[in-house]
Amino acid sequence: MLSTKFEKFLAKRVLIISIIVAILDIVFFYHRFIILAGLATGTVFSLLRLNSYMTTFSRLLSQASQAGEKKAVSKSITRFLINSALVILVLGASLNFSQDFFIGTLEGIFMVPLAIMINGITEALGITHNNFE
C-alpha cells in the first residue's frame, strides 16, 4: 500500500481531513467513540479500495496496449464489481452493528473522494499548485 507518489499524497490529505472530521464528531455527537471507530474503519477501507483501484487501472492500461485487451478489461470489470460489493457488505455490516458506527464508516468511505474533490477545487481556484503531487 502507498506505493506511488499519488497514493502518499492522498493518504496525507485523507489523514488531515479525518482528523478534522474526528474533532467535529467529538464536538457534535453523543456516541463519539463508536463514530470514531467507524470513521477509522471506513478511512482504512477507503484507502485500501483506492489502492485496489489504482492497481486495477494501472494493470488495465499496461495490458490494454498489449495483445490481451479483452481479458484485461474483463478482469478490471470483475475487480470493480468486487470492490463495489465489498462496499455494500461493509456498510451493511456496520449498519447491523450500530447506526452510529454506520455514520462513522460512511464518513470514512467518503474521505478519499472528498480529498480529491477539495484538491480539485483548490487547484481550480489557484489556491494550491501541487498538481496532485
Side-chain angles (χ1 to χ4, degrees):
M1 191 175 165
L2 302 178
S3 58
T4 64
K5 190 175 180 181
F6 181 69
E7 285 177 294
K8 290 176 186 174
F9 169 79
L10 275 179
K12 289 176 190 175
R13 294 291 170 110
V14 166
L15 180 64
I16 292 168
I17 295 170
S18 294
I19 290 170
I20 293 169
V21 170
I23 292 169
L24 292 173
D25 287 346
I26 289 171
V27 170
F28 291 113
F29 289 104
Y30 180 71
H31 299 287
R32 57 187 63 104
F33 296 112
I34 296 173
I35 293 175
L36 290 177
L39 177 65
T41 303
T43 301
V44 168
F45 181 73
S46 185
L47 287 171
L48 290 173
R49 207 175 91 204
L50 171 72
N51 186 15
S52 175
Y53 283 149
M54 289 192 67
T55 303
T56 300
F57 291 129
S58 66
R59 285 183 185 168
L60 175 65
L61 293 174
S62 67
Q63 290 178 356
S65 61
Q66 299 171 354
E69 191 172 324
K70 285 185 180 181
K71 189 175 181 180
V73 170
S74 65
K75 279 185 177 182
S76 296
I77 291 172
T78 304
R79 277 185 164 212
F80 182 80
L81 292 175
I82 289 171
N83 280 332
S84 299
L86 284 175
V87 168
I88 292 169
L89 287 174
V90 166
L91 286 175
S94 66
L95 184 58
N96 212 12
F97 180 70
S98 164
Q99 186 176 5
D100 295 322
F101 190 78
F102 174 76
I103 291 169
T105 305
L106 198 60
E107 288 175 347
I109 287 177
F110 285 129
M111 284 297 140
V112 171
L114 182 65
I116 293 171
M117 183 185 73
I118 288 172
N119 194 62
I121 291 170
T122 57
E123 284 288 317
L125 295 176
I127 298 169
T128 59
H129 302 291
N130 53 24
N131 297 322
F132 286 98
E133 293 179 9

